[in-house]
Amino acid sequence: MKAYRILLYYLYTPIEDCLAYREEHHRFCLENNLLGRVIVAPEGLNGTVSGLAEDCQRYMDWLHADPRFAAIQFKIEEHEQHAFHKLHVRVKEEIVNSDLPVDPLKQTGVHLEPNEFRQLMNDPDVVLVDMRSNYEHNVGKFKGAITFDMENLRELPDHVTEIEHLKGSGKKIITYCTGGIKCEKASAYLLHQGFENVYQLHGGIIRYGLEEGGENFDGECYVFDGRVTAPVNHVNPEIISTCHVCGTTTSRMVNCANPECNEHLPICEQCGWDMDGACSDTCRTHPRKRPYNGQGYYPKKFEDYTPVMGFKSAQGSFRKE
């Protein structure tokens, strides 16, 4: 049993005074030695944090004790240490950037629990649709899934035509993403665009891996913490990505050491050292290239950030991030 836990969660639920709750939430995380990223928005809460097992349990109990967040479903993974370097609790307009004209509290696709998803995923009348960014599905995705070449969920409307042929086909469309949050809006948007028989994997890839072993997920799952990728398939794993530099098979994902590039790319360990963490010779010799430590993960640095105060404006109040 490893000493630390990584928690991933979200919940669409109205939050009235986001700034006040942001301060309360931030204070609790500080007092309980938690690191990670939490987004507070009028539409709900979205977070991923790490800490010692007992601190994470205290955090989950605290959130569940609040009637607004009693329904939060946590994805819990073990880890040897903190998966984050900082604590960020921010107020934003949405808990996942989308700009889609939908409200998950009013309509979404049918939620499939991991065991239901596993039973359906190989049905010939089922089409799996990946709602993640290209750098995420390039390193791992479900067998046979449709993927879109998009940088973020805001681009989904530009790609809906790629599955237009599924309208009226009688096929079951199952959307999936890392933890389930993108699918709440993505599945709602598909329904809004006239698609029928729309479903979503409840809890996403991570929960499916934890509860059902991750069968038929090829590669690794891109995660937004210091691990960069995490294995989810313990049944029939297969690596699908290849090193950007030499072309050998690898599931190792890095950010280019040149901050002006910062591309998320699969780069094998040997090429990581040979290229000093960069994706090309141009980036390797760039004057702003960051020192490479063999990991390929570079947490952002903020001049106005401190763990206790977070981000402060000149007036001394927490500003909306």
Side-chain angles (χ1 to χ4, degrees):
M1 183 79 63
K2 297 174 183 177
Y4 285 77
R5 300 290 181 271
I6 302 171
L7 307 180
L8 178 65
Y9 71 89
Y10 72 90
L11 186 70
Y12 284 94
T13 183
I15 300 177
E16 292 185 1
D17 192 338
C18 291
L19 288 173
Y21 182 68
R22 180 259 173 227
E23 294 193 38
E24 178 186 351
H25 198 115
H26 184 239
R27 189 178 306 111
F28 186 92
C29 289
L30 285 174
E31 292 171 351
N32 290 276
N33 307 305
L34 297 167
L35 300 177
R37 292 192 294 268
V38 178
I39 297 173
V40 180
E43 66 180 10
L45 192 64
N46 175 22
T48 176
V49 302
S50 66
L52 289 168
E54 56 269 29
D55 294 329
C56 285
Q57 186 60 56
R58 196 175 300 113
Y59 180 70
M60 291 187 286
D61 292 342
W62 177 69
L63 280 172
H64 279 154
D66 188 322
R68 295 173 296 180
F69 311 122
I72 283 180
Q73 179 189 83
F74 290 95
K75 277 74 73 175
I76 308 169
E77 297 178 88
E78 294 184 4
H79 202 42
E80 301 88 357
Q81 59 190 359
H82 266 299
F84 298 93
H85 293 79
K86 291 184 175 71
L87 170 66
H88 301 287
V89 184
R90 297 184 174 110
V91 173
K92 293 190 175 184
E93 294 293 331
E94 299 179 278
I95 57 175
V96 60
N97 293 329
S98 74
D99 296 330
L100 298 176
V102 295
D103 182 353
L105 291 175
K106 295 179 179 178
Q107 184 183 43
T108 65
V110 177
H111 288 63
L112 291 174
E113 299 305 312
N115 64 321
E116 297 173 315
F117 175 79
R118 187 175 185 179
Q119 293 168 10
L120 277 176
M121 65 187 304
N122 295 318
D123 187 316
D125 288 326
V126 162
V127 177
L128 303 181
V129 183
D130 196 316
M131 289 299 171
R132 300 172 302 152
S133 303
N134 47 24
Y135 61 86
E136 296 175 79
H137 60 66
N138 282 343
V139 76
K141 66 184 184 70
F142 283 108
K143 291 183 186 297
I146 293 174
T147 59
F148 301 132
D149 184 15
M150 61 184 184
E151 291 293 326
N152 53 63
L153 195 59
R154 290 190 296 273
E155 297 177 15
L156 179 58
D158 298 330
H159 294 276
V160 167
T161 55
E162 297 171 31
I163 56 172
E164 194 78 18
H165 62 282
L166 297 176
K167 284 185 178 178
S169 67
K171 300 282 189 180
K172 297 183 180 70
I173 301 171
I174 305 180
T175 67
Y176 71 87
C177 58
T178 306
I181 187 171
K182 289 183 178 180
C183 290
E184 301 284 359
K185 289 189 174 181
S187 66
Y189 183 73
L190 293 186
L191 290 168
H192 184 264
Q193 294 299 304
F195 290 87
E196 300 175 343
N197 301 318
V198 179
Y199 300 76
Q200 66 186 77
L201 173 57
H202 190 204
I205 299 163
I206 297 298
R207 186 175 171 221
Y208 175 71
L210 289 170
E211 296 186 10
E212 294 295 322
E215 184 176 6
N216 287 344
F217 186 84
D218 291 337
E220 295 198 0
C221 183
Y222 188 96
V223 291
F224 298 87
D225 58 54
R227 297 172 297 169
V228 186
T229 63
V232 296
N233 188 341
H234 306 287
V235 180
N236 57 345
E238 179 181 342
I239 299 174
I240 62 170
S241 51
T242 57
C243 177
H244 172 73
V245 179
C246 71
T248 59
T249 301
T250 182
S251 60
R252 187 174 177 274
M253 197 82 167
V254 304
N255 286 6
C256 177
N258 174 10
E260 294 187 10
C261 172
N262 206 44
E263 284 289 334
H264 303 66
L265 297 163
I267 298 179
C268 71
E269 186 169 4
Q270 184 61 51
C271 287
W273 289 112
D274 291 347
M275 298 296 293
D276 201 22
C279 70
S280 66
D281 286 332
T282 299
C283 287
R284 184 174 57 82
T285 57
H286 195 279
R288 291 190 59 207
K289 193 193 79 65
R290 297 168 288 203
Y292 180 63
N293 62 4
Q295 186 179 25
Y297 172 72
Y298 307 95
K300 291 182 180 179
K301 295 181 179 180
F302 299 96
E303 297 299 326
D304 59 348
Y305 172 85
T306 65
V308 174
M309 297 307 296
F311 294 89
K312 287 196 68 179
S313 68
Q315 290 75 30
S317 60
F318 291 106
R319 73 170 178 253
K320 195 173 185 179
E321 289 295 325

